[in-house]
Amino acid sequence: MNFQFYNPTRLVFGAGKLAGLGAIASAYGKKALLVTGGGSVRRSGALDRAVASLKDAGVDVVECSGIEPNPRITSVRRGAGIAREERCDLVIALGGGSTMDASKVIAAAALYDGDPWDLIAHGQAGWAPPTRALPTIMVPTLAATGSEMNWGAVISDDETKVKSFVQAECLYPKVALVDPELTLTVPQDQTAYGVCDLITHVTEGYFNGAGGTPVQDRFAEGVILTAMEWGPRAVADGSDLEARAQVQWASIVALNGWVQAGARAAGFPVHMIEHALSGHHDVTHGAGLAVVNPAWMRFAAKAHPERFVQFAERVFGLAAQGPDDLDCALAGIDRFEAFLTSIGCPTRLSQLGIDDALFAQYAEDAALVARDAEGNLASRPPMSKDDIIGVLRSAL
Ligand code: NZQ
Ligand code: ZN
């Protein structure tokens, strides 16, 4: 193993922590752009409580509402414009992953002279990775992406239908203020999609990793088992605060870099393929992953069954005939898919209303950024465009 680990985000976690937002924010700025989504935080009362806490601490608030799921670059442009006009010195996200991702890029775009789409890597020649950003505080209201404690953001372009991402050191939030009470109102389907998303963050590193990482393997399996234990409880009873808290902590650990440290993952192919689907069809990210992940696993297991055998044995308690027992590997994937179905996730493209008409385009888009020297999608094993189409066809 040969690696670095770095994550500068302060994590403040616990029920009721929203009340402390103002005190925390006042250490970073005097005038905050408060970014929210389509209205859930207004309906739940979280917005009023956040604003009251900020004002009590002497932090002025400028609101930027209406960030849509699969956030658009147009929303980023609008938010950055407000931040500049109002001379905000801090950006606070109160919402799901979409609101958090948009907020991160707004914070960078507010200090960038060009068009914000330059900041997102989407295969362009002159990618301008963000080098500075206003300080940000993330207050997640949905357990899924882990964006609150990582350096990534995923943004879509309405015109080209390209959905892509950026990772930059300046995008690490200063603080992740995580209050599981805020997730009590998340609907059942979004709760399930969040569980799928967090598990997929872990499986990407686990199955695409180079191996030789026994500690990371156990961490990954621990996150998956925890999500499979507590996720169904949160789905069954959205008011179960303990279940909400366990799922939310799992979602943060799943993508703050810790579980993947040293794994040398070849890529995040399931995410790249899903982003192509949600770029074109605006499907919910976690729902798209539930369709793509088992299909991708069956493709990859045939190339290197050992990791999938380990998964089948350790996560589902199956007994293998040997380390290359493909039948056992595939049985583990079947069990995983059955789990996704049991919590209400789709597992076929037809359930998302997607047919094969644009398969070649998805294959092109999936490999837009994360491609190797031969033009294949970064993955273990690398995926040609035909491989991507084959995986999608198997998920019809
Ligand atoms: O917009 P509002 O009204 O807030 O409603 C949202 C939205 O309709 C609703 N919601 C959120 N919190 C709620 C709530 N409804 C009731 N009560 C609450 N407490 O849920 C819906 C989905 O919200 P969204 O933010 O889109 O969901 P999620 O957190 O799953 O974020 C998905 C986005 O994150 C990206 C995805 O690609 C997608 O664009 N990702 C970001 C990552 C990152 N930055 O590290 C990694 C992920 O892999 C992912 O790609
Ligand atoms: Zn994800």
Side-chain angles (χ1 to χ4, degrees):
M1 283 196 289
N2 184 355
F3 67 97
Q4 287 191 23
F5 176 76
Y6 173 76
N7 188 319
T9 301
R10 179 186 303 277
L11 175 66
V12 179
F13 189 104
K17 293 289 185 199
L18 179 64
L21 174 62
I24 289 171
S26 63
Y28 296 98
K30 292 187 163 47
K31 191 172 189 181
L33 184 75
L34 181 57
V35 184
T36 61
S40 70
V41 294
R42 193 173 290 284
R43 289 191 293 278
S44 69
L47 177 61
D48 287 345
R49 290 192 285 136
V51 170
S53 173
L54 289 163
K55 291 198 167 152
D56 281 354
V59 178
D60 288 341
V61 177
V62 177
E63 286 187 37
C64 171
S65 61
I67 303 298
E68 56 285 284
N70 298 319
R72 312 293 199 271
I73 195 67
T74 44
S75 295
V76 171
R77 291 188 187 112
R78 176 170 63 86
I82 300 171
R84 268 198 295 265
E85 270 166 36
E86 296 282 346
R87 298 180 180 278
C88 294
D89 54 6
L90 168 67
V91 177
I92 300 175
L94 177 66
S98 296
T99 296
M100 293 192 282
D101 285 3
S103 301
K104 289 174 170 178
V105 185
I106 287 170
L111 302 183
Y112 177 69
D113 284 337
D115 182 64
W117 189 236
D118 301 348
L119 303 170
I120 310 296
H122 56 275
Q124 74 274 46
W127 176 42
T131 53
R132 57 199 191 114
L134 293 172
T136 62
I137 296 175
M138 300 289 132
V139 187
T141 62
L142 195 163
T145 68
S147 181
E148 57 270 35
M149 199 178 175
N150 71 38
W151 67 338
V154 184
I155 303 291
S156 299
D157 179 13
D158 330 40
E159 285 174 20
T160 59
K161 305 290 179 204
V162 167
K163 176 174 180 176
S164 193
F165 67 99
V166 59
Q167 292 173 323
E169 204 166 308
C170 66
L171 299 184
Y172 276 111
K174 294 290 181 207
V175 182
L177 179 60
V178 183
D179 181 342
E181 281 180 1
L182 301 178
T183 68
L184 293 174
T185 53
V186 177
Q188 196 170 41
D189 58 348
Q190 292 288 345
T191 304
Y193 303 156
V195 171
C196 175
D197 189 21
L198 87 86
I199 292 176
T200 310
H201 294 154
V202 167
T203 59
E204 295 267 38
Y206 189 83
F207 293 124
N208 288 293
T213 50
V215 174
Q216 303 317 119
D217 289 0
R218 296 287 188 187
F219 283 150
E221 291 151 7
V223 170
I224 296 167
L225 287 164
T226 304
M228 288 179 54
E229 179 182 350
W230 292 92
R233 296 191 199 189
V235 170
D237 177 7
S239 66
D240 182 339
L241 182 59
E242 180 65 10
R244 293 289 195 182
Q246 299 305 341
V247 170
Q248 197 161 24
W249 177 221
S251 76
I252 294 167
V253 175
L255 202 58
N256 70 358
W258 180 248
V259 169
Q260 295 83 3
R264 286 181 292 136
F268 256 49
V270 175
H271 273 71
M272 296 303 107
I273 297 171
E274 194 293 316
H275 287 173
L277 298 179
S278 47
H280 284 271
H281 301 283
D282 209 10
V283 297
T284 302
H285 174 61
L289 293 174
V291 173
V292 178
N293 203 12
W296 176 84
M297 286 175 163
R298 292 188 179 100
F299 159 82
K302 292 186 183 110
H304 60 99
E306 325 77 49
R307 310 284 296 165
F308 294 88
V309 169
Q310 179 176 299
F311 176 74
E313 288 188 313
R314 293 188 185 174
V315 174
F316 293 105
L318 302 183
Q321 302 297 323
D324 293 329
D325 182 351
L326 182 59
D327 287 341
C328 177
L330 295 174
I333 298 167
D334 289 346
R335 294 280 281 270
F336 175 59
E337 192 173 52
F339 165 77
L340 295 173
T341 302
S342 76
I343 59 170
C345 290
T347 54
R348 315 306 306 171
L349 285 171
S350 55
Q351 292 171 276
L352 302 176
I354 296 176
D355 61 23
D356 62 359
L358 294 177
F359 274 7
Q361 186 65 52
Y362 311 143
E364 186 70 35
D365 290 355
L368 197 61
V369 181
R371 69 171 86 216
D372 64 18
E374 283 78 45
N376 293 318
L377 173 61
S379 165
R380 200 176 299 273
M383 298 179 83
S384 67
K385 297 211 170 70
D386 284 346
D387 291 333
I388 299 172
I389 291 171
V391 164
L392 290 168
R393 198 164 292 291
S394 75
L396 272 170

